[in-house]
Amino acid sequence: MSSEMAHAATEVAHEAAHTSGDYIKHHLQNLTYGQLPDGTWGIAHSAAEAKAMGFWALNLDTFFMSLLLGAIFLFVFRHVAKTIVSGTPGSLQNFCEWAIEFIDTSVRGSFSSKNNMVAPLALTIFFWVFMMNLMDLIPIDWVPLMMSALGVPFFKVVPSTDPNATFGMAIGVFLLVLYYSVKMKGFGGFMGELTLQPFGKWGMPVNFLLEGVNLIAKPISLALRLFGNMYAGEMIFILIALMGGAWAGFSLGGVTLFGSQILLSLGWAIFHILIVTLQAFIFMTLTVVYLDMAHQEHH
Amino acid sequence: MNINATLLAQLIMFALFVWFCMKFVWTPIVAALDERKKQIADGLADAERAKQDLELASRRSAEILREAKEKAGEIIGNSEKRASEIVEESKTQAKIEGDRIIAGAKAEIDQEVFRAKEQLRTQVSAIALAGAGKILGREIDAKAHNDLLDKLVAEI
């Protein structure tokens, strides 16, 4: 274990991390800004400190990465929207048009009512989530090492591995579902939907329990699916990276581990391209489906 | 891994992104796409119309060509007829003119003959008188024998 420790120590040089456990913990810790135990405001330097900050703390890495990625997405699309011509498109415009037609087609496929907000919502979700997920393909140690060289103790570069980001979006979607349910069916209609089925009015408490769980399950499953997939993917990258940590000197075992790390990282990264895209698409599609359900009357 | 105010920040950020995307990205791009769709549809309709126009024009030009040919044929026929008419006419005219010339010449000849006859008759009568005078040995009084002479002239 001493060789592992030595490697892990070099990778997280600015932290007092000396075991593979510490290495993993370091990679899973957000850069949290909040009130420190001594009463001043600042950045937490350990997981315990971050936890002690309570609710009123901000994960700076999640916040800035998601802001940056969303801004890049909107900047590119806004640039195209400003310079768009209805004649022959350039390659960037062509890409954006392709993306928009792709989103438009899938929204039309699963959303039957008329709402001008749903398609742009789907576009935003797909590209934002896709870009956040895509950060997972950056080699796992690059950003934390770079950041620690700049004196930043932690940096999780994939915002969708932070439940705050996924729940933030899922709650946004949930609020829209509630809003359109009430708007389309009226408050009474929505309540009726929650309490009068599937067992008729005599089974009201049971109905409410079932439908309530059904309703609450939507945002929770939406958030946890994305978070779980990305978190697990990240975890596997970390574990693969740890294999190389066992490499020390040219022993047979060490070289094998080092080679395995390269091959496994490559394989997992290629497979992860699929997951990254798929999860973004699933998040988008489910959002559209939930909103479609909110727009439809159930009888 | 802690749930904290980042959740709210992400929620607000999400809402702002969606709003921006809807207002400044989706609407103009979709408008441009619709416009292109319309342009293409218009272009296709124009092409279809042009094709119809072309067909119409070619049909019309064929008709005009046919008419022109017909007219040209007619004109050629007319002119041939007229030409033969003119030839006929001039032939007739020439014949008439010839006949007239011939008749004139004949009349002149007749006149000439008549005149010559007259002259001849007068001369003959004179010769006869002279002969008779010689025979009778004396001069015949022209006045006294005028009746005789006239009778003679008439007989010749």
Side-chain angles (χ1 to χ4, degrees):
Chain A
M1 286 302 278
S2 63
S3 57
E4 273 181 7
M5 278 189 243
H7 187 72
T10 58
E11 293 205 320
V12 288
H14 287 257
E15 275 299 297
H18 295 294
T19 65
S20 46
D22 288 337
Y23 174 73
I24 294 172
K25 274 183 199 154
H26 176 261
H27 269 288
L28 295 180
Q29 178 56 44
N30 280 109
L31 180 67
T32 311
Y33 178 87
Q35 196 168 26
L36 293 166
D38 58 11
T40 58
W41 288 76
I43 290 167
H45 283 268
S46 70
E49 260 184 20
K51 203 171 182 61
M53 284 171 174
F55 184 76
W56 293 107
L58 189 66
N59 292 343
L60 295 177
D61 44 5
T62 303
F63 182 76
F64 281 113
M65 281 312 289
S66 54
L67 185 65
L68 177 72
L69 295 170
I72 289 172
F73 152 65
L74 286 177
F75 178 80
V76 169
F77 273 73
R78 176 65 190 150
H79 172 72
V80 168
K82 262 197 296 195
T83 56
I84 194 159
V85 286
S86 56
T88 316
S91 49
L92 184 63
Q93 185 184 329
N94 209 8
F95 166 75
C96 290
E97 285 177 6
W98 167 79
I100 280 189
E101 299 225 306
F102 161 67
I103 301 286
D104 202 37
T105 312
S106 39
V107 168
R108 268 175 219 282
S110 43
F111 188 79
S112 49
S113 311
K114 176 107 187 71
N115 191 332
N116 289 335
M117 199 267 308
V118 174
L121 173 77
L123 178 74
T124 314
I125 288 179
F126 181 76
F127 274 94
W128 198 27
V129 172
F130 175 74
M131 289 175 79
M132 291 197 289
N133 291 352
L134 202 63
M135 294 299 107
D136 220 357
L137 296 179
I138 296 175
I140 188 117
D141 280 323
W142 282 13
V143 178
L145 276 179
M146 210 167 69
M147 283 297 168
S148 66
L150 295 171
V152 178
F154 306 103
F155 204 89
K156 265 176 86 176
V157 77
V158 192
S160 46
T161 56
D162 182 351
N164 289 302
T166 62
F167 271 102
M169 272 189 293
I171 289 172
V173 172
F174 185 58
L175 292 177
L176 285 172
V177 167
L178 290 181
Y179 172 74
Y180 282 111
S181 290
V182 172
K183 192 184 171 193
M184 291 293 147
K185 302 160 195 166
F187 188 72
F190 182 47
M191 276 298 142
E193 199 177 286
L194 283 180
T195 52
L196 295 179
Q197 55 176 7
F199 293 127
K201 59 182 172 181
W202 299 112
M204 212 177 260
V206 183
N207 290 341
F208 187 69
L209 188 70
L210 288 174
E211 288 292 318
V213 168
N214 191 6
L215 187 68
I216 296 296
K218 285 174 186 172
I220 292 180
S221 66
L222 204 54
L224 286 183
R225 179 182 303 106
L226 179 59
F227 166 69
N229 271 283
M230 299 323 293
Y231 188 79
E234 175 97 334
M235 198 68 196
I236 288 174
F237 273 122
I238 294 172
L239 292 177
I240 291 170
L242 271 175
M243 291 176 71
W247 182 76
F250 289 96
S251 70
L252 182 64
V255 171
T256 311
L257 279 174
F258 188 68
S260 310
Q261 182 194 349
I262 293 173
L263 285 178
L264 284 173
S265 295
L266 179 68
W268 183 242
I270 291 170
F271 180 59
H272 218 58
I273 294 172
L274 176 69
I275 296 181
V276 157
T277 319
L278 195 64
Q279 286 305 319
F281 185 72
I282 288 174
F283 201 109
M284 177 196 92
T285 307
L286 284 179
T287 301
V288 173
V289 168
Y290 291 158
L291 282 171
D292 184 48
M293 284 159 76
H295 279 72
Q296 270 169 1
E297 300 266 3
H298 296 270
H299 293 290
Chain B
M1 280 287 285
N2 312 306
I3 292 290
N4 56 29
T6 315
L7 183 79
L8 297 178
Q10 293 287 326
L11 178 56
I12 294 164
M13 201 192 293
F14 178 53
L16 288 177
F17 281 166
V18 171
W19 170 79
F20 186 90
C21 179
M22 183 167 79
K23 191 123 184 152
F24 299 108
V25 172
W26 188 270
T27 314
I29 293 183
V30 165
L33 290 185
D34 285 348
E35 196 187 318
R36 180 178 314 144
K37 218 177 274 171
K38 200 176 150 297
Q39 275 178 4
I40 290 172
D42 286 355
L44 288 178
D46 280 353
E48 191 62 34
R49 203 163 40 240
K51 216 160 128 191
Q52 276 177 1
D53 284 356
L54 180 67
E55 202 176 311
L56 219 71
S58 65
R59 207 179 300 155
R60 209 171 128 60
S61 74
E63 202 173 309
I64 288 173
L65 200 64
R66 197 174 50 74
E67 262 172 30
K69 264 184 188 158
E70 234 166 55
K71 216 170 219 171
E74 203 178 300
I75 288 169
I76 288 170
N78 278 348
S79 57
E80 267 169 4
K81 208 163 78 187
R82 180 90 189 102
S84 62
E85 260 172 29
I86 287 171
V87 168
E88 280 307 308
E89 221 168 81
S90 51
K91 263 184 192 164
T92 326
Q93 203 92 34
K95 201 161 182 316
I96 290 167
E97 186 77 2
D99 284 354
R100 199 174 56 76
I101 289 169
I102 290 168
K106 252 184 191 160
E108 212 164 311
I109 289 167
D110 283 352
Q111 224 168 7
E112 233 22 70
V113 168
F114 182 69
R115 209 181 295 144
K117 267 184 184 168
E118 276 306 297
Q119 216 171 343
L120 201 61
R121 199 182 288 164
T122 326
Q123 278 173 4
V124 165
S125 67
I127 291 169
L129 271 184
K134 268 191 186 141
I135 296 167
L136 293 175
R138 57 167 182 153
E139 206 171 294
I140 294 166
D141 186 6
K143 273 175 196 152
H145 305 285
N146 224 0
D147 306 348
L148 201 71
L149 281 176
D150 281 347
K151 226 181 260 172
L152 194 72
V153 169
E155 264 171 44
I156 298 171

